[in-house]
Amino acid sequence: MVETEATLCFPLRSRDDGSGDGDDAEADEVLLIEKRRGLGEGWYNGPGGKLEPGETPRECAIRETREEVGLAVDPEGLEKAGELTFLLDGDPHTFCHVYRTRSFSGEPTVTEEARPEWVPVDDVPYDQMWEDDRLWLPGVLEGRTVAGEFRFEGGRPLDEAAFVDHDLEWDVAGRFDR
Ligand SMILES: Nc1nc2c([nH]c(=O)n2[C@H]2C[C@H](O)[C@@H](COP(=O)(O)OP(=O)(O)OP(=O)(O)O)O2)c(=O)[nH]1
């Protein structure tokens, strides 16, 4: 099986926590999408998708975020947060570059592919996401870096396979070359 290269991008913003208690505590929110078609349809995820020929992962993350939710991400502020390998029945299926950013402009809009939604980082709907996300996304949203391998079995497409096990390494920024 030929491995696909893909990206995910998690835009973050700070919001007044609304407690009205007089301090300036801010709660972070992350822009998730409800995916409206393709792999992972009906689940929440970050904007993202497969690399096009000749495209770098960073270019792909920026393009997909623009196409799926209409946000213009500033390349300078795009921070590499993870590299995830998804294996299906023992074979590499997708290698996914994960980014986060606080530098973008525009307002998220609904497209044919995605319905965007700002979600508090401590209230991410992990029960409506890929099963592995609860293992790595909380750390990514806290600012950490991660390298992970996730093994799925017994099906094609990937989103109908069973998640069987994983390996994770944290704080691996030195390993990322782009
Ligand atoms: N959060 C998360 N994302 C995943 C997992 N596995 C996985 O492939 N993805 C991501 C990588 C890609 O961003 C996305 C799949 O690519 P895609 O959105 O282009 O797929 P698609 O089939 O809809 O492609 P297309 O028809 O639009 O070309 O899903 C996972 O376990 N967790």
Side-chain angles (χ1 to χ4, degrees), residues 85 132 135-136 148-151 163-169:
T85 301
D132 54 283
L135 300 170
W136 56 268
E149 210 172 85
F150 305 89
R151 287 173 281 282
F163 176 43
V164 287
D165 64 51
H166 70 280
D167 293 304
L168 277 183
E169 278 181 81

Side-chain angles (χ1 to χ4, degrees), residues 103-121:
S103 305
F104 50 84
S105 56
E107 281 300 318
T109 44
V110 178
T111 66
E112 278 178 20
E113 287 179 80
R115 188 184 64 77
E117 187 177 326
W118 287 107
V119 173
V121 295

